[in-house]
Amino acid sequence: MSKNGAQQAPSFIDLAAQYRRIGDRVERAISAVLEHGQYILGPEVTELERRLAAFCGAGHCIACANGTDALLLVLMAEGIGPGDAVFVPAFTFVATAEVVVLAGATPVFVDVRADSFNLDPESLEAAIGEAKRIGLRPRCVIPVDLYGQPADYQAIGRVAEANDLVVLADAAQSFGASLNGQKVGTLAAYTATSFYPSKPLGGYGDGGAIFTDDDAKAKLLRAIRCHGRHQDGSECGQVGLNSRLDAIQAAILLEKLLVFPEEIVARQASAKRYGEGLGAAVQVPKLMAGATSVWAQYTIVTERRDELAKACREAGVPTAIHYASPLHVLPAYRQFPMAPSGLSQAAWLAGHVISLPMHAYLTEETQDLIIDAVRDAVRSLKGSAAHAGLAGSPPPAE
Ligand SMILES: *Cc1c(COP(=O)(O)O)cnc(C)c1O
């Protein structure tokens, strides 16, 4: 399939390319931490918090050990626990629902929209009614910015306000994106993000952060992440945990943050090229009006997903499936309640999505190779079963 013999095989996410670019600076930054010796919550952590808050325009940034803890810390700071309902999309990474169970509350699954992959505000409204009917207190909603595009915070915010829900944005995949000119980090009362290596702003290990404008809650979150104790040694009065960010990881992220704006532009250019190259062959992702994405994933929708994955593999193009199962059918989660209208879009997407290689260092040559491989696969699959149309559409919303 190679029309260019010298072409390197595409990688799904190329972390090495970035390291070749900034490796020297990263190594110097790590050495500086080794020299000063403040390994936990050192000066680099404070500087990173300051720079991240400035980057998105949030009042406060509280760094922590990972994105999962970032979500959990907020639930703890809000005193969410037994008897409380927390609404989560059924189509997301499992951590979004996991933290609700860890906090002792009940996750209530909400359907997503097939066009944006994100939380459906109508399904949320119905799920709130269901939670009340079964005797739970509706407390919080965790919209997820799946694949890097913000959820519909305007519509979700209206439902949340009418029902007195705290909005906690799961922005693990979307830091750097925006909605109507406002950056992720400022679109909800709380925003949680992750610096897991494969996220758009990834470290060389685990890391996470919370954004909020609430001064008192920011102070409480800082205490909860460090065993419930304020920096002056006084107790915050709540049980905490150990969820601190290492100074070495912060030093690495400070270097990565310098190239992040350019990397976002590169990802957006690659997404545009994918759209142009593949739009006629498969269902390509669409952005909501007013939204930008950081393209944590470039995810297409197709009727014969598994055959397409196989054909791509044979052509040397790696693909991945995020996520092959909606959460409400997983053994650890199937006892939890869901929107009464069902989760048909989430279930449908889990059977039809496939993600293509996406990172900030994807060259046009490599991308052309991927586009050709997908187009060829689609053409031959169409030939093999004339009416099993490849670009399917989801069932109508209920
Ligand atoms: C990665 C991710 C998380 C968890 O982040 P970690 O840093 O791996 O704990 C949570 N939610 C979503 C949607 C994610 O993609």
Side-chain angles (χ1 to χ4, degrees), residues 65-69 71 92-96 144-146 170-173 193-196 199 206-208 323:
N66 56 67
T68 306
D69 279 4
L71 294 165
T92 174
F93 183 57
V94 69
T96 314
V144 177
D145 302 343
L146 207 68
D170 182 343
Q173 302 181 9
T193 196
S194 163
F195 306 122
Y196 184 80
K199 309 286 177 173
D206 281 310
Y323 301 89

Side-chain angles (χ1 to χ4, degrees), residues 20-346:
R20 283 193 294 277
R21 178 177 177 195
I22 62 168
D24 288 348
R25 295 210 304 269
V26 167
E27 280 165 31
R28 276 199 298 277
I30 292 173
S31 297
V33 176
L34 296 178
E35 306 265 330
H36 71 53
Q38 285 176 261
Y39 303 131
I40 301 285
L41 295 181
E44 290 81 5
V45 175
T46 309
E47 177 64 9
L48 179 69
E49 291 179 334
R50 201 181 62 73
R51 296 255 296 274
L52 289 172
F55 182 94
C56 67
H60 303 275
C61 170
I62 301 99
C64 62
N66 56 67
T68 306
D69 279 4
L71 294 165
L72 178 61
L73 286 161
V74 172
L75 297 180
M76 293 172 77
E78 283 291 324
I80 289 168
D84 294 338
V86 178
F87 302 90
V88 297
F91 189 59
T92 174
F93 183 57
V94 69
T96 314
E98 187 177 289
V99 293
V100 179
V101 182
L102 289 174
T106 303
V108 180
F109 292 112
V110 176
D111 210 0
V112 295
R113 295 186 48 126
D115 53 0
S116 65
F117 309 116
N118 283 333
L119 193 98
D120 180 348
E122 285 173 29
S123 178
L124 171 62
E125 217 157 5
I128 294 169
E130 174 67 7
K132 287 183 185 156
R133 192 187 65 77
I134 60 177
L136 296 169
R137 267 187 314 271
R139 289 289 310 280
C140 177
V141 55
I142 312 183
V144 177
D145 302 343
L146 207 68
Y147 309 144
Q149 172 178 209
D152 187 352
Y153 287 98
Q154 258 174 6
I156 293 166
R158 278 193 294 274
V159 177
E161 207 177 310
N163 292 277
D164 210 12
L165 300 183
V166 174
V167 182
L168 162 55
D170 182 343
Q173 302 181 9
S174 66
F175 188 70
S178 66
L179 185 59
N180 300 320
Q182 267 182 283
K183 288 238 170 72
V184 165
T186 64
L187 297 169
Y190 299 95
T191 301
T193 196
S194 163
F195 306 122
Y196 184 80
S198 63
K199 309 286 177 173
L201 180 60
Y204 291 140
D206 281 310
I210 302 157
F211 299 90
T212 184
D213 284 341
D214 187 321
D215 300 343
K217 291 293 188 192
K219 186 166 183 239
L220 180 60
L221 285 162
R222 286 184 198 288
I224 296 176
R225 80 169 166 187
C226 200
H227 305 293
R229 193 162 286 178
H230 292 298
Q231 262 144 332
D232 66 5
S234 63
E235 297 291 329
C236 80
Q238 251 186 260
V239 172
L241 73 162
N242 172 4
S243 184
R244 298 170 298 220
L245 185 70
D246 293 341
I248 285 183
Q249 215 50 248
I252 293 164
L253 286 163
L254 279 167
E255 292 302 327
K256 294 207 179 198
L257 190 57
L258 293 176
V259 296
F260 189 48
E262 273 174 53
E263 291 183 342
I264 294 173
V265 170
R267 285 173 180 274
Q268 289 171 340
S270 293
K272 187 160 176 280
R273 287 189 94 245
Y274 267 143
E276 289 160 2
L278 294 173
V282 294
Q283 191 178 312
V284 295
K286 282 196 298 279
L287 297 182
M288 255 191 326
T292 68
S293 175
V294 286
W295 302 101
Q297 305 292 343
Y298 190 87
T299 304
I300 60 175
V301 174
T302 163
E303 200 61 51
R304 297 167 68 188
R305 186 259 312 274
D306 296 332
E307 288 158 282
L308 179 64
K310 181 165 176 281
C312 284
R313 190 161 55 243
E314 283 163 4
V317 171
T319 60
I321 291 167
H322 309 98
Y323 301 89
S325 172
L327 298 186
H328 65 287
V329 304
L330 298 180
Y333 292 90
R334 58 180 167 226
Q335 76 268 33
F336 295 115
M338 63 173 79
S341 42
L343 304 168
S344 60
Q345 308 292 310

